[in-house]
Amino acid sequence: DTAVSQTPKYLVTQMGNDKSIKCEQNLGHDTMYWYKQDSKKFLKIMFSYNNKELIINETVPNRFSPKSPDKAHLNLHINSLELGDSAVYFCASSQGNPWGFAEAFFGQGTRLTVV
Amino acid sequence: QKEVEQDPGPLSVPEGAIVSLNCTYSNSAFQYFMWYRQYSRKGPELLMYTYSSGNKEDGRFTAQVDKSSKYISLFIRDSQPSDSATYLCAMSPGAGYALNFGKGTSLLVTP
């Protein structure tokens, strides 16, 4: 069973379009994340949700809007896509642990190409 | 200056070699230090984590953290072709915080 699953795996779209990426985790975790990995493999946090509430919102254009309908799902909607948005987007989840370490589990990534 | 610096390589070694991967960081608030392995076209997977300074060993892998120098290392003994992947160091101040990643080091172990 896939722990963190993202759809679609590949997405090719034209500049100016609006697209969504979906993420679901079946681990019972309470925290979910979106990371962006650029062409140089650098992974950078975009958003984090805990129990459906936004807790981290890094400097990301407001064309990117995350939505968490419940704690098992975190979707990413992108408006007016630009060439620079081309990257691999990873969803991840972890279980909050105020006393120690919590492993983050990653999905397989969504490879977005804007043409 | 990025908070976490990591030499992207690529690093190519013969099978059986000892591999040393390193990261430096600038944020003294980091308490958890992790190494993730990422195979091509896959998501990162946790290899090891260490809390604060010290060493941790797991099979052929050893992680070291030196907080006084803000320097962490991952050693791979008896490297295998199946170890060929990108290794990413990651750090966080505590539980529930997002991870701060290095750029990753691409490792190729040749038979």
Side-chain angles (χ1 to χ4, degrees):
Chain A
D1 282 346
T2 304
V4 182
S5 59
Q6 299 177 228
T7 53
K9 194 172 180 180
Y10 298 97
L11 186 53
V12 181
T13 187
Q14 290 189 326
M15 275 196 310
N17 283 352
D18 303 339
K19 290 292 178 186
S20 291
I21 307 171
K22 295 186 176 182
C23 179
E24 175 182 6
Q25 54 95 4
N26 62 6
L27 298 166
H29 289 166
D30 59 5
T31 305
M32 295 185 73
Y33 312 84
W34 277 111
Y35 286 85
K36 179 181 179 181
Q37 189 171 45
D38 61 24
S39 57
K40 296 183 179 177
K41 299 280 194 176
F42 185 53
L43 256 176
K44 190 170 166 57
I45 183 70
M46 298 175 70
F47 302 103
S48 171
Y49 269 74
N50 178 267
N51 281 319
K52 302 192 297 174
E53 286 192 26
L54 181 66
I55 55 173
I56 294 175
N57 183 355
E58 289 295 312
T59 309
V60 174
N62 57 15
R63 298 182 294 104
F64 290 78
S65 53
K67 280 192 171 51
S68 182
D70 55 62
K71 72 175 192 176
H73 295 84
L74 180 61
N75 304 323
L76 183 65
H77 188 75
I78 317 170
N79 288 328
S80 303
L81 277 154
E82 300 177 358
L83 292 175
D85 297 333
S86 296
V88 182
Y89 293 84
F90 285 99
C91 177
S93 73
S94 67
Q95 181 59 34
N97 177 5
W99 299 282
F101 175 73
E103 179 180 353
F105 291 81
F106 285 79
Q108 81 278 20
T110 296
R111 187 171 295 270
L112 171 65
T113 303
V114 182
V115 297
Chain B
Q1 181 193 7
K2 292 198 191 309
E3 282 193 303
V4 182
E5 299 279 359
Q6 183 177 8
D7 186 340
L11 184 61
S12 181
V13 301
E15 184 175 355
I18 296 175
V19 176
S20 172
L21 305 167
N22 312 294
C23 288
T24 58
Y25 64 96
S26 57
N27 188 345
S28 56
F30 290 145
Q31 295 283 351
Y32 291 94
F33 303 90
M34 291 138 269
W35 287 96
Y36 278 79
R37 179 173 59 196
Q38 185 177 20
Y39 290 111
S40 181
R41 308 250 168 187
K42 299 287 186 185
E45 294 175 307
L46 181 68
L47 260 182
M48 299 180 70
Y49 84 91
T50 310
Y51 173 71
S52 194
S53 283
N55 294 357
K56 190 171 186 178
E57 190 173 317
D58 184 1
R60 296 184 295 110
F61 298 89
T62 300
Q64 288 185 351
V65 174
D66 181 348
K67 288 188 72 179
S68 62
S69 304
K70 296 190 176 69
Y71 186 89
I72 73 169
S73 301
L74 177 71
F75 297 96
I76 308 174
R77 290 184 298 281
D78 187 25
S79 55
Q80 303 294 310
S82 59
D83 295 330
S84 299
T86 297
Y87 290 80
L88 301 128
C89 62
M91 310 175 187
S92 77
Y97 285 82
L99 302 177
N100 294 268
F101 281 90
K103 281 191 173 182
T105 300
S106 176
L107 172 67
L108 177 65
V109 181
T110 54

